[in-house]
Amino acid sequence: MTHLPPPAEELRLLDAELRQLDARRAQLLARRAWLVAALHRTRQASPAQARIRAPHPPPPRPETAAPSVQNVLLVLGGVLLTLAAAVFTLVSWGHMGIAGRALVLGAVTLATLAAPVVLLKRGLRSTAESVAGLGLALTLLDAYALHAAALSGTDGTGYAAAATAVLAATWTAYGLLPAMSALRLPLPCALAAAQFPPLLGALAADAGPYPITAALLVTAGLDAVAVVRLPAGAVRVTAVVGAYGVGGWGVLGAGWLSLTAEGPGDASRAGALLLLAAAIAAGSARRGPGVGHALGLAITSGLLVVGALGGVARSGLPSQWAVPAHLVVAIALLAAVRVERLPDAMRQGLAWASGAVQTLAVLWTLPVVAVVLLGPAGWLGRVWSGAPSDARAAVVVDAPWPPHAAVAPMVLVAVAAVLALAVRAGVWRSRARLGALGLLWATALILPAILEIPYVFGMLVLGVMTAAALSACRLAASAAQVTALVLALVTAAGLTLVALASQSATLAVLSVLTALFAAASWRADVSPFTAPAALVHAAALASASGAAADWPAARTALLVLAVAAAAAALAARLGVSRATVPVEAVGAAVGLFAVALAVTDPPMLALVLALCGVIAAGTALRPERRPVGYAATALFVLAAWVRLAAWDVGTPEAYTLPVTVPALLVGALRRRRDPRVSSWTAYGPGLAATLLPSLVAAWTDPQWTRPLLLGAAALLVTLLGARHHLRAPLVLGGSVLSLVTLHELAPYVVQVTGALPRWAPPALAGLLLLALGATYEQRIRDVRRVREVLGRMD
């Protein structure tokens, strides 16, 4: 039972609860009063006071920092002062005497060069830099003024060489002064001026192209030494820019001299210049900063060595041996990669340089390979015109034979040997071997044409290569398998083109290739490619066999169609294999080819279309290929139409009934499986295929037979639609029946209309309108009732 406290205790508890409730009530009433007052004040406030004020936008930030503004102003001031000094020197110089000129220029230059000392002591470093730049510019103007006033008779180029050398030394001494050690501008300017004395001196001495190029390379070498010796900073950056810029011009000049050398002597001198450039690049790569620079310089050094030695060898060899000579040097360059004392970047760069030269050498042989592969395509316009004398005549039909073809196999074999033996890295080893295999294949491909072996033996070589490539497809490695497969397909295509020159060769080659690719198709991993290839060669063999038997093209189509039937049977046997779709695609293409062959003979075309329909119908029996049944139906209809056209049948019903009957049967089957299918979908296309063309023919037919039969058929269709409550037969049959009846009664209506007076037709029309107006409401109800009846039909 529930425990009840004594009455006194219970009364005490009730009083305590009531006191708490009174306190809470008072608190809530006070909060309510405050909220009411706040709401009242808000309603009385003006909209302007109630609107939330947007915060003040922050003050605009300066777009340019103060140091940047300072530097711009200082640079701009220095430029303006330099321009003013130049104008004074060039324009106002002639208005003063020699003493005045010397006094003004000397005083201004000395004052300008001394001013940075005071500015640096006061901490104005940027201003000191600007003034120092102005002073250096004034020294240039002093040099120009000296030549214009006192040394105008001297050679300008020689004076420029001496002046730039003196300026470089002066600026260097100026920048190395203890008081000027904080300035960054004098030493880079001195290094930039030092780039010109060697070149200008060589030009002033009327030296030939070789000394001028040597002067450029020596200057670049000195810049490279400066890069190695100098610490990081503006001077070092200037030295790097000078080394690359001057050295680049020197390398271009040396390369041009090597290419245009007329004898071993000139080639040797140009090669020495290239070797000098290579030594500079190699030294910079070994001791210079930066891994990226080292790799690029190492590659450049290797290429320059190849160009130098290869150019010397080229000068004493026939032109076709120029590329092999460079290739030998590039391969020999790989020996330096084994030297452990060289840095990794240097060794890697030399390897890349050798690889680049080998790649260019392989590209040099591509015209020979292209002629051997694509040249036989010229036989397509000269099929079976006669077997050529040798393998070269078999490939050179319309294309010229490259003049350097004799040495192309040596280049390919040499590069293949390097790939097979020199590349030992785990990742690249397999790829290199595949590349070597491809190069050896290219060598074997072009050798018969280069050696001019007999035509039959050339084809035998290509056949053996195809068989070997297909045998190599058994390899487990996917990359090697793909490579072998591609080589097999390419070789087979070239062999087929070469065989087109002779009838017996064509038949033999196509037979062998069909057997080879069919045998290779037993491997499931390559069958998606070899099985279609076998079918293509089989179709070509069928066409060639028909042509060899002097059959017309339409008759040959039956042989080609046998290949399409074999493709369909093979696809059915393969099932869900990866080769099924490619085989079916090739089979469909072969079927279209057979149709194209028979298009000139209508009776044979009808037979071919019917056989294609049979093949498609057989394919449609497979559950996953049911939609092919539509194509089979279309092919049967086309076959019937072509056959009727060949018989000169002009009756439209003969063409439409073969479409209507299958369409109605398919519609009936579909309605039986799914009663919800509309009659327009099930029966509409089939009925329209015959009724509409027959209606058009009946309106232009003067005889009574077609309208009578069409009217009877339309009446039967209408009755069937009414009996089974089907909208499509009822509407189509009734419409056709009405139009046929109108066509048959039209002459009588015209005759009656001609016998009536002229006022009779308008009167009859008026009476008709009155009758229609009088029975409007009744007719509307009848129409609605008919609509409801049709709506209840399927």
Side-chain angles (χ1 to χ4, degrees), residues 565-665:
L570 178 60
R573 183 176 181 83
L574 290 175
V576 294
S577 172
R578 293 189 300 117
T580 302
V581 175
V583 166
E584 289 177 340
V586 172
V590 171
L592 292 177
F593 178 61
V595 172
L597 290 176
V599 74
T600 57
D601 189 351
M604 186 61 67
L605 177 61
L607 177 59
V608 170
L609 288 172
L611 293 177
C612 289
V614 171
I615 296 173
T619 303
L621 295 177
R622 294 157 53 192
E624 69 277 8
R625 294 291 185 266
R626 296 299 187 196
V628 184
Y630 297 105
T633 303
L635 289 170
F636 284 131
V637 171
L638 287 176
W641 285 359
V642 173
R643 183 72 261 182
L644 292 173
W647 287 336
D648 295 329
V649 175
T651 304
E653 289 78 11
Y655 295 90
T656 58
L657 284 176
V659 179
T660 296
V661 173
L664 292 178
L665 291 177

Side-chain angles (χ1 to χ4, degrees), residues 448-468:
I450 293 175
L451 300 177
E452 296 183 277
I453 65 176
Y455 172 65
V456 176
F457 288 101
M459 290 192 301
L460 182 61
V461 170
L462 294 178
V464 172
M465 291 173 60
T466 304

Side-chain angles (χ1 to χ4, degrees), residues 155 157-158 197-216 257 269 273:
D155 179 56
T157 307
L199 175 61
L200 294 176
L203 293 175
D206 292 331
Y210 292 95
I212 293 175
T213 306
L216 290 173
L257 292 175
R269 287 191 291 172
L273 293 175

Side-chain angles (χ1 to χ4, degrees), residues 93-323:
W93 181 260
H95 300 290
M96 301 179 64
I98 187 65
R101 300 171 186 175
L103 180 62
V104 170
L105 279 178
V108 172
T109 302
L110 291 176
T112 305
L113 292 176
V117 178
V118 180
L119 295 173
L120 288 174
K121 289 181 179 180
R122 296 187 176 184
L124 301 177
R125 181 175 177 178
S126 298
T127 306
E129 292 281 1
S130 300
V131 175
L134 177 60
L136 298 179
L138 287 175
T139 56
L140 285 175
L141 294 176
D142 290 340
Y144 168 77
L146 179 62
H147 180 267
L151 302 175
S152 59
T154 60
D155 179 56
T157 307
Y159 177 79
T164 51
V166 172
L167 288 175
T170 303
W171 292 350
T172 302
Y174 180 74
L176 294 177
L177 291 175
M180 302 298 178
S181 59
L183 296 178
R184 300 178 180 177
L185 191 60
L187 292 180
C189 291
L191 187 57
Q195 308 297 315
F196 298 97
L199 175 61
L200 294 176
L203 293 175
D206 292 331
Y210 292 95
I212 293 175
T213 306
L216 290 173
L217 293 176
V218 169
T219 304
L222 295 176
D223 289 332
V225 173
V227 171
V228 175
R229 299 295 183 182
L230 294 175
V235 183
R236 189 175 187 178
V237 172
T238 306
V240 170
V241 173
Y244 278 113
V246 180
W249 283 109
V251 168
L252 290 178
W256 176 255
L257 292 175
S258 178
L259 290 176
T260 57
E262 297 181 355
D266 294 340
S268 299
R269 287 191 291 172
L273 293 175
L274 289 174
L275 289 177
L276 175 60
I280 295 172
S284 301
R286 187 170 183 178
R287 299 181 180 274
V291 177
H293 287 276
L295 179 60
L297 290 171
I299 295 174
T300 304
S301 177
L303 293 177
L304 290 174
V305 170
V306 173
L309 300 181
V312 174
R314 184 184 66 248
S315 63
L317 296 174
S319 59
Q320 62 181 357
W321 290 95
V323 173

Side-chain angles (χ1 to χ4, degrees), residues 655-705:
Y655 295 90
T656 58
L657 284 176
V659 179
T660 296
V661 173
L664 292 178
L665 291 177
V666 173
L669 291 176
R670 187 173 181 183
R671 287 269 301 178
R672 177 175 296 180
R673 294 178 180 177
D674 188 4
R676 295 173 297 177
V677 175
S678 172
S679 61
W680 286 106
T681 303
Y683 304 115
L687 293 174
T690 294
L691 293 178
L692 297 182
S694 298
L695 178 63
V696 174
W699 273 69
T700 59
D701 192 352
Q703 304 297 326
W704 59 271
T705 307

